[in-house]
Amino acid sequence: DQQVKQNSPSLSVQEGRISILNCDYTNSMFDYFLWYKKYPAEGPTFLISISSIKDKNEDGRFTVFLNKSAKHLSLHIVPSQPGDSAVYFCAASSSSTDKLIFGTGTRLQVFP
Amino acid sequence: DAGVTQSPTHLIKTRGQHVTLRCSPISGHKSVSWYQQVLGQGPQFIFQYYEKEERGRGNFPDRFSARQFPNYSSELNVNALLLGDSALYLCASSLQGWGGDQPQHFGDGTRLSIL
């Protein structure tokens, strides 16, 4: 049972435009949602998170939106840069544990 | 400050052997978690340890075990290796062991290949 889903395995965006990565979840008990970025041969790097009591969190070029009624979150990157090219993982957890449930990832490619 | 460090970076074993993977958390972090990532998938939770106690366990067989030491470093042990254990094993640490406002930080992983 895949509790966190990223239905788009890949996304290609032109430099300077907006990248929108999507994530759906099924478990309403999740309290936190996180986005990680992963380059080849490196571990995942934390990008941004959002608590279930909020609907938006912003950090520089990165903004995460949470729609609890739809059990959907998205990561917006504006403007996109070539260095953003990586695999992006959505993850969810409850407040009582560090256990993260990850999606399968979306490969973002930003081209000039 | 040093991040999460894992050793070794690569390892090749044969079926039936045993392996030990090591992890040193970020200084001051008391929680260590282990994840397995197979190609094309997201990381899968194996264990969480906090203050040397097991706090959580994922859906992995008893061949997988772990422990945390007084200095908060951790070992992951896998016995009777199978071909399907070939994966990237990731270690993550966090300050207090719960809550997304204190996110986990990952090491670069150990790539385990089973022949």
Side-chain angles (χ1 to χ4, degrees):
Chain A
D1 179 29
Q2 190 73 22
Q3 297 186 65
V4 177
K5 300 178 183 179
Q6 294 176 256
N7 292 317
S8 297
S10 64
L11 176 67
S12 188
V13 172
Q14 189 173 28
E15 181 179 5
R17 307 293 284 264
I18 184 172
S19 295
I20 300 177
L21 296 95
N22 294 303
C23 178
D24 297 295
Y25 63 96
T26 58
N27 190 340
S28 59
M29 300 300 292
F30 289 140
D31 292 330
Y32 287 96
F33 303 89
L34 305 92
W35 285 94
Y36 284 83
K37 176 172 72 173
K38 188 177 186 302
Y39 294 118
E42 294 184 10
T45 301
F46 170 73
L47 272 177
I48 191 169
S49 66
I50 187 167
S51 163
S52 61
I53 63 173
K54 297 183 178 180
D55 56 17
K56 177 182 175 181
N57 189 27
E58 191 172 354
D59 183 3
R61 297 187 297 115
F62 302 93
T63 303
V64 57
F65 296 92
L66 175 62
N67 183 334
K68 285 180 60 180
S69 61
K71 293 190 174 65
H72 178 83
L73 65 153
S74 61
L75 174 68
H76 292 209
I77 306 174
V78 182
S80 301
Q81 300 173 354
D84 296 329
S85 297
V87 178
Y88 289 77
F89 289 99
C90 168
S93 73
S94 69
S95 57
S96 62
T97 177
D98 258 357
K99 176 180 178 180
L100 289 173
I101 308 296
F102 282 87
T104 52
T106 297
R107 182 176 300 277
L108 172 66
Q109 182 179 5
V110 180
F111 60 93
Chain B
D1 286 344
V4 177
T5 58
Q6 293 186 242
S7 63
T9 53
H10 294 87
L11 202 50
I12 299 174
K13 292 284 189 178
T14 57
R15 283 177 295 175
Q17 285 189 311
H18 161 271
V19 69
T20 298
L21 311 180
R22 296 177 174 83
C23 172
S24 293
I26 291 172
S27 178
H29 284 195
K30 298 182 178 180
S31 175
V32 170
S33 298
W34 288 93
Y35 293 81
Q36 180 196 65
Q37 186 181 15
V38 298
L39 200 60
Q41 299 295 318
Q44 299 288 316
F45 174 78
I46 309 175
F47 286 109
Q48 182 196 357
Y49 276 77
Y50 179 74
E51 291 281 14
K52 294 166 287 181
E53 298 289 329
E54 181 181 306
R55 175 168 284 182
R57 183 184 187 113
N59 188 24
F60 281 81
D62 292 343
R63 299 185 295 106
F64 289 75
S65 64
R67 55 180 175 167
Q68 187 177 32
F69 300 99
N71 67 353
Y72 302 109
S73 67
S74 177
E75 283 182 355
L76 175 70
N77 295 284
V78 187
N79 292 324
L81 288 165
L82 302 174
L83 291 178
D85 296 331
S86 295
L88 178 67
Y89 288 85
L90 294 162
C91 174
S93 74
S94 71
L95 268 173
Q96 61 188 28
W98 65 87
D101 58 343
Q102 297 286 349
Q104 294 175 67
H105 297 273
F106 285 80
D108 288 338
T110 294
R111 172 71 63 186
L112 176 63
S113 298
I114 311 301
L115 303 179

